[in-house]
Amino acid sequence: MNNKVIRIDTECEAWFLYSHGDEWMNCVCPDDKLKEKCVIYGNRDYQEYKEAKWYTQAIEILKDIDCGHGEDSIREWYNLSKDLYSKIEELFDKCSYYEQILLDVIKLLNPKKEFETTCIRGCVQREWQNVIYEKDAFDTEILADFYFGKITEFSLLEDDEYENTIFVADSQVPYKTDDLKKFARELFEISEDEDVRIETSDGYVRVKQWKDVA
């Protein structure tokens, strides 16, 4: 009979999740689509992500207008109608910097999609980033937690061997013990009548080591 244990590491640092590129993004938006669904920018002390096509197109158009390229050229380069170009140019003429009108320009260029903007924050004042994202593509609270490393690690062990590990945003983890047990079982699809022991992290213990010298 297998001896199952669920270990809940509430002090998880998950260095490997963040040290191998952008693996953490799949925990926020599946199928590696996060970079297509949002841009994260503004605080250069942290990694920015500004690769979404709808973002880069809007920025390039605004830069071309700012550089004084003619209307005919810009409309041809980006396949813009005269009416659409006029609306973008009108916004540009009223702004002091791109960010003031960026969301409006993105919406004009992508009328079939809905976009929103927010500011995600971590635990301290310096942890913040601006986000423009496709509405309903993911949970921005989960994005904030994973982006700033506020996560809990759930691991399933069978006969002392690690079988599976799942990372969960701290904001999604229940605090009450009974709710936490139920949440952990559901996470690994373990029924209530199945025997499993649940452990949570309880700090670190420093152990003095000894060696032979004589």
Side-chain angles (χ1 to χ4, degrees), residues 103-175:
L103 181 60
D104 290 331
V105 173
I106 290 171
K107 288 180 177 179
L108 284 173
L109 292 168
N110 302 272
K112 293 183 179 180
K113 294 181 179 180
E114 292 187 62
F115 293 89
E116 294 186 350
T117 183
T118 189
C119 181
I120 58 173
R121 299 187 182 277
C123 296
V124 296
Q125 189 173 3
R126 68 174 182 274
E127 293 180 341
W128 63 271
Q129 279 289 25
N130 296 319
V131 181
I132 300 175
Y133 61 99
E134 293 185 26
K135 186 179 179 180
D136 299 327
F138 54 84
D139 188 316
T140 54
E141 194 171 19
I142 293 176
L143 171 65
D145 282 355
F146 272 96
Y147 184 84
F148 291 112
K150 298 185 296 179
I151 57 178
T152 298
E153 179 181 349
F154 289 76
S155 297
L156 175 65
L157 290 77
E158 293 192 30
D159 297 329
D160 295 325
E161 295 290 334
Y162 280 89
E163 295 293 328
N164 193 11
T165 296
I166 300 174
F167 298 98
V168 180
D170 284 351
S171 60
Q172 307 301 304
V173 179
Y175 290 99

Side-chain angles (χ1 to χ4, degrees), residues 8-202:
I8 306 171
D9 187 354
T10 58
E11 301 160 296
C12 168
E13 295 180 359
W15 59 268
F16 48 87
L17 190 64
Y18 295 92
S19 62
H20 298 293
D22 302 320
E23 291 183 14
W24 64 272
M25 290 186 170
N26 281 329
C27 299
V28 180
C29 186
D31 301 322
D32 198 26
K33 298 292 185 180
L34 188 63
K35 288 183 181 180
E36 299 176 16
K37 301 294 183 179
C38 78
V39 293
I40 304 172
Y41 70 99
N43 186 347
R44 295 183 180 179
D45 291 336
Y46 294 88
Q47 177 69 45
E48 294 184 306
Y49 298 91
K50 299 187 288 187
E51 302 168 28
K53 292 180 180 179
W54 43 261
Y55 173 84
T56 57
Q57 183 189 40
I59 288 291
E60 287 169 3
I61 290 173
L62 291 174
K63 285 182 177 179
D64 284 335
I65 294 175
D66 197 16
C67 290
H69 295 300
E71 175 183 341
D72 291 341
S73 296
I74 295 175
R75 286 180 55 200
E76 181 182 353
W77 295 339
Y78 300 101
N79 192 28
L80 305 178
S81 68
K82 186 174 183 63
D83 180 59
L84 179 55
Y85 176 84
S86 296
K87 290 178 180 178
I88 295 173
E89 187 179 42
E90 183 179 356
L91 288 170
F92 178 83
D93 290 339
K94 295 178 181 179
C95 79
S96 301
Y97 51 92
Y98 297 164
E99 281 72 17
Q100 287 181 317
I101 62 169
L102 188 53
L103 181 60
D104 290 331
V105 173
I106 290 171
K107 288 180 177 179
L108 284 173
L109 292 168
N110 302 272
K112 293 183 179 180
K113 294 181 179 180
E114 292 187 62
F115 293 89
E116 294 186 350
T117 183
T118 189
C119 181
I120 58 173
R121 299 187 182 277
C123 296
V124 296
Q125 189 173 3
R126 68 174 182 274
E127 293 180 341
W128 63 271
Q129 279 289 25
N130 296 319
V131 181
I132 300 175
Y133 61 99
E134 293 185 26
K135 186 179 179 180
D136 299 327
F138 54 84
D139 188 316
T140 54
E141 194 171 19
I142 293 176
L143 171 65
D145 282 355
F146 272 96
Y147 184 84
F148 291 112
K150 298 185 296 179
I151 57 178
T152 298
E153 179 181 349
F154 289 76
S155 297
L156 175 65
L157 290 77
E158 293 192 30
D159 297 329
D160 295 325
E161 295 290 334
Y162 280 89
E163 295 293 328
N164 193 11
T165 296
I166 300 174
F167 298 98
V168 180
D170 284 351
S171 60
Q172 307 301 304
V173 179
Y175 290 99
K176 293 182 180 179
T177 301
D178 289 342
D179 292 340
L180 184 60
K181 290 178 180 178
K182 181 180 179 182
F183 181 84
R185 282 180 174 274
E186 290 177 351
L187 201 60
F188 294 106
E189 299 180 349
I190 298 175
S191 63
E192 289 292 336
D193 57 358
E194 191 172 353
D195 186 35
V196 60
R197 192 170 77 254
I198 299 177
E199 303 174 342
T200 60
S201 56
D202 189 27

